[in-house]
Amino acid sequence: MKRRSTPIEADLFALLDRLDGDGPTVVSSIRQPAALKEALKVAVGLGLDANANEATVQALRDRLEAFAQRRALDAHYAAHPEARPSLAEVAQAAAELDGDPLANEPALIRRAAKEIEAIRPGATADDVLVYAVALHSGARG
Amino acid sequence: MSTPPATVVLDNEAVQALADVNHRKHRRTLAILEATNRRSGRRGQHISVVVPVAVRIEAGWDRAASAAAALNRISRTRDVILDGQAADRATQLRRQAGCSVVDATVAQAAEASDGPVAILTSDASDMRRLAALIAGDTRVVRL
């Protein structure tokens, strides 16, 4: 049976791509916690964004973009399993992006990734970096 | 102290590596994208991945081509447009650094983006020289 998800996913990417143009806008209302609305108002006052509408639209767009990219990456790995980077490789990349001194210690990052994967399946690259700092501190202490 | 970037700028080889599953740096470039995606998804800490339009031209990346569909989807990059003002700045950087036109636009894009900025490049030494000329917190990540 053909999966129905494919055309819907294509729609998601097509719609996200249209966000860079001057497309039409619509007014919509959402039910939200009152405290969230107030927190947004305060955050805008503190400089989060120009106004509450812009902050809401940007936050929603960022979340949708991350979700769509996650789907695309997972589909890519399904087709090309050898392309999937390991947890250690992602942690190494994260350290380099952050300008973290740990980036100069790839062996430590590999060890941290190996140990944390054994005790915590689903660990993230940031978990690895925190663990690597602990290993580093332990080695020095 | 380390700080996650707000923007990642791709150079030509980063695009080439992403586009070609057989490229020797394909997996390495995906590791960079994974790091940005995980943070955007789980921590709500959005990191924009951008590509200067001159890089797209050099890399032969036509977003409208059907062959580019996978690259469009996995990268989710936004274009950095080269307008007159940006071209002037890139020209200044090119003159100062003696670099290629495309590298100058990479540096200009980094300078114009929200920082901190990470430039993903295969030519780290040239790009570090350019990064030293621009304003803001810019780090160079070798592919």
Side-chain angles (χ1 to χ4, degrees):
Chain A
M1 193 173 86
K2 193 169 180 178
R3 289 176 62 198
R4 181 169 156 68
S5 63
T6 305
I8 292 175
E9 189 164 279
D11 289 348
L12 172 62
F13 284 102
L15 289 165
L16 287 172
D17 288 343
R18 279 167 48 186
L19 290 175
D20 283 327
D22 291 326
T25 60
V26 292
V27 176
S28 60
S29 61
I30 55 167
R31 179 168 293 279
Q32 60 184 309
L36 181 65
K37 186 176 179 181
E38 285 303 309
L40 179 59
K41 191 174 170 184
V42 171
V44 167
L46 293 170
L48 173 69
D49 266 314
N51 54 58
N53 187 75
E54 191 174 310
T56 304
V57 168
Q58 192 58 51
L60 186 55
R61 179 177 178 173
D62 291 347
R63 191 160 154 71
L64 286 168
E65 285 282 3
F67 173 76
Q69 187 184 39
R70 179 76 266 145
R71 301 264 310 179
L73 287 167
D74 287 344
H76 187 66
Y77 301 143
H80 307 282
E82 72 289 351
R84 183 191 293 273
S86 68
L87 180 60
E89 288 169 327
V90 179
Q92 177 69 36
E96 292 176 37
L97 286 172
D98 293 357
D100 190 325
L102 275 176
N104 299 318
E105 305 204 41
L108 182 66
I109 289 176
R110 282 196 297 274
R111 180 185 158 197
K114 187 176 176 185
E115 291 186 12
I116 202 167
E117 276 185 308
I119 58 176
R120 187 176 175 187
T124 67
D126 288 316
D127 293 335
V128 172
L129 296 181
V130 171
Y131 193 88
V133 169
L135 286 175
H136 191 260
S137 300
R140 286 194 311 176
Chain B
M1 194 175 128
S2 61
T3 316
T7 308
V8 176
V9 184
L10 305 185
D11 87 344
N12 176 41
E13 190 170 8
V15 171
Q16 302 278 3
L18 270 180
D20 181 2
V21 72
N22 295 313
H23 194 288
R24 66 191 174 90
K25 293 174 182 170
H26 183 68
R27 187 166 146 150
R28 159 74 172 155
T29 314
L30 285 173
I32 302 278
L33 286 187
E34 277 292 338
T36 62
N37 178 268
R38 295 282 177 183
R39 285 173 167 172
S40 295
R42 290 192 184 191
R43 290 180 17 182
Q45 178 187 57
H46 185 72
I47 302 173
S48 294
V49 182
V50 302
V51 59
V53 289
V55 168
R56 277 217 294 119
I57 296 166
E58 187 177 45
W61 181 4
D62 173 3
R63 287 188 190 275
S66 57
L71 178 58
N72 292 340
R73 289 183 175 198
I74 62 174
S75 71
R76 299 309 300 158
T77 55
R78 295 184 193 171
D79 287 342
V80 180
I81 305 301
L82 188 68
D83 61 11
Q85 194 176 352
D88 287 343
R89 181 60 180 140
T91 303
Q92 292 162 14
L93 290 167
R94 186 177 182 225
R95 189 184 307 129
Q96 287 178 268
C99 61
S100 72
V101 171
V102 174
D103 283 355
T105 69
V106 170
Q108 183 278 324
E111 189 174 56
S113 298
D114 290 338
V117 176
I119 298 174
L120 189 55
T121 179
S122 58
D123 191 355
S125 57
D126 279 0
M127 205 49 78
R128 283 200 182 96
R129 204 167 67 244
L130 270 165
L133 297 173
I134 62 177
D137 177 354
T138 303
R139 55 200 68 149
V140 174
V141 176
R142 185 192 295 273
L143 257 187

